[in-house]
Structures are given as structure tokens and as C-alpha cells.
Amino acid sequence: MGVSFDKIDGVIWYDGKLVPWQDANVHVLTHGLHYASSVFEGERAYGGTVFRSREHSERLKRSANILDFEIPYSAAEIDAAKQLVIDRNNLPDAYVRPVAWRGSEMMGVAAQTNTIHLAIAAWNWPSYFDPAEKLKGIRIGLADYRRPDPATIPALAKAAGLYMICTISKHKAEREGYADAMMLDWQGRVAECTGANIFFVKDGKIHTPIADCFLAGITRATVIDLAKRRGLEVIERRIMPDELDGFSECFMSGTAAEVTPVSEIAKWKFTPGRISAQLMTDYTAEVQPKGKQAAA
């Protein structure tokens, strides 16, 4: 096991200033801890530049608005704070985590007057999956929990509470020998993985679920754009589990996962192929700072 995340050396941007890593704390009676009034982003910096930083900052603010609070910084100020964190920690290639939450002035369901806090940390985090395993395709299970009806929860916010079932599902998958798990939605349709979107390939066309009860990821949007640049057709539609036998390839996308081929989902098998490999290569080129991008 590596160093505990509360004991990493470095600095964290916290409410407008840099503080020593181990001093970036909250009180045990913080509303965000008890009532999940917290939103966050997962981003990566490559070569000293946060990939699609502005889109992440804007989504962070939208997520907060959905949870009925306003982050007291503009998207431009959040962008600048992220850049300061990676520069001061000397982390040109890093995972970046902004998080915003309600403070501790009121402890109860209602907390309209609580202070809204924002913190930004960055650390070294290599590929989410083992590189050797990633090339041959990872094995994932099928989650018991389902993505809920968006009429019952703020499904389109990147909110802490929405990840409770993801943690439970990923733990179960790992105990069963899988790297992750695919989740269905409340109507039994294919949705996403515990922290990544999912794509399938059939007859040279890419199919992916409609993102209306889960996040349409920023990496997902990048992958769709890359595929279209290659002249590949991308079809966003409802996908039922009984269709999975008809797909030849499968891959997932996310900030942490980047583009990762999948060889197995429970009883369904796939063979990582040309399209998955091409999009892995294209994504790697896309995220490099301008001037360093490999030819597509």
C-alpha cells in the first residue's frame, strides 16, 4: 500500500490560498460529510496542462447549482487555481481533484447559510488499470445496483452521493476477480461502469448508451469526437443486455481510465480490436499539449 492520501507531501489550494497538504482538513460535523452536499471533478494534467480544464470547471459549477449552492469562484479562477496547484507541486503529469462542499455552520438537512468551500489537490496517479492488462482488455462484472431514475436523484451532477453505489459495486467486482463493473439503469438498460462510460463496436460502428441518467463524460465527448474524425459512425441509443452478444469490441472511457478496452463483462466476451486500439492511440495524442501531439 502506498502513502495515505492525507500524508502526501505538497500543497493544496483551499478557499483561495495554498496550504500544506496535511493541514487541508474539515470538521467532523461538516454538512458535506453527513448529507453528501459535495461535488467534485476528476481531471488529468499532461505536460503541465490540464486537459479540457475549462469544461471541467464549468461542469463543477453546474453540479453545485444542481445541488442548490453556488461555488464562490468563477470558472476562470478555478482554472487558474488548478494550474497553480500543478505548478507549485511540480506535477506536470498528474490527476487533479477539485471538490466543493457545504461547511459546518448548520447541521441538519437544511443548510442554506453554510459556507461553500472549494479545495483543489493534485497527485501522481498512473493509469487506472494495469498497463499490461489494459492492452489485452480488462474483465468487468455486472453490478447489482442500478443507476437511478433521474426523477429521484440529481443524476446529472457529479455529486459525491451518486458514487456510493459505485464504491459498493466496484468492491464486489474486485472480490470476484474483476477490475470493475458495468451498471444498468433503473429500467434494466446498459448505463455505464462505476467510474467510466462504455462503448461497443459492431460492424465497424460504435454504439454507446444515451447519457440521461448518468454523466455524459468529458472524456466520452472527446472519444466520440475522435471517432468521428476517423469517419467512424457513433450511435447513441438504448442498449439492452441481451444485445451484448452481438458486439465484437467493447471499451470504456473516463479521466482515470482514459480509453481502456474490455474483454469480458460477466458472461459476455469481446476481442479488443482495431477500433479500440486506434482510439487508445488517438486519445493519447489528443491529450498531449499542443506542439507535442503525435500525428493522428
Side-chain angles (χ1 to χ4, degrees), residues 42-77:
E43 311 175 39
R44 278 193 188 273
Y46 298 90
T49 301
V50 179
F51 183 60
R52 299 182 76 163
S53 180
R54 179 56 55 88
E55 286 148 282
H56 281 286
S57 297
E58 290 174 346
R59 187 173 69 179
L60 181 71
K61 289 181 67 67
R62 286 197 305 273
S63 293
N65 292 157
I66 292 171
L67 266 63
D68 196 33
F69 68 84
E70 183 72 36
I71 295 173
Y73 300 94
S74 68
E77 288 172 324

Side-chain angles (χ1 to χ4, degrees), residues 182-231:
M182 184 183 76
M183 308 183 80
L184 305 179
D185 70 11
W186 85 103
Q187 292 185 320
R189 306 171 302 200
V190 174
E192 61 172 348
C193 298
T194 63
N197 294 126
I198 195 162
F199 295 82
F200 302 93
V201 177
K202 181 178 181 180
D203 299 329
K205 298 178 181 180
I206 299 173
H207 302 252
T208 193
I210 296 169
D212 60 355
C213 66
F214 58 89
L215 283 182
I218 291 171
T219 305
R220 175 182 183 270
T222 302
V223 169
I224 290 172
D225 180 58
L226 291 171
K228 290 179 177 179
R229 287 189 222 168
R230 287 282 177 186

Side-chain angles (χ1 to χ4, degrees), residues 144-287:
D144 294 330
Y145 282 99
R146 297 185 174 191
R147 276 283 161 224
D149 182 341
T152 68
I153 199 163
L156 300 185
K158 193 169 177 68
L162 291 165
Y163 284 80
M164 176 173 58
I165 58 174
C166 298
T167 296
I168 295 169
S169 298
K170 190 169 175 68
H171 285 181
K172 180 176 181 289
E174 290 179 344
R175 285 194 297 269
E176 294 174 345
Y178 294 110
D180 203 349
M182 184 183 76
M183 308 183 80
L184 305 179
D185 70 11
W186 85 103
Q187 292 185 320
R189 306 171 302 200
V190 174
E192 61 172 348
C193 298
T194 63
N197 294 126
I198 195 162
F199 295 82
F200 302 93
V201 177
K202 181 178 181 180
D203 299 329
K205 298 178 181 180
I206 299 173
H207 302 252
T208 193
I210 296 169
D212 60 355
C213 66
F214 58 89
L215 283 182
I218 291 171
T219 305
R220 175 182 183 270
T222 302
V223 169
I224 290 172
D225 180 58
L226 291 171
K228 290 179 177 179
R229 287 189 222 168
R230 287 282 177 186
L232 297 168
E233 184 177 354
V234 180
I235 303 167
E236 297 181 67
R237 66 178 182 85
R238 307 299 185 190
I239 300 173
M240 299 303 295
D242 60 11
E243 296 182 62
L244 298 190
D245 280 326
F247 295 115
S248 57
E249 297 181 49
C250 175
F251 60 90
M252 61 170 62
S253 72
T255 295
E258 299 178 301
V259 176
T260 299
V262 174
S263 62
E264 178 182 329
I265 303 174
K267 66 179 182 179
W268 297 284
K269 312 293 184 186
F270 310 92
T271 303
R274 176 183 60 84
I275 290 177
S276 299
Q278 184 65 68
L279 289 172
M280 284 180 66
T281 300
D282 288 351
Y283 186 78
T284 298
E286 183 73 11
V287 299

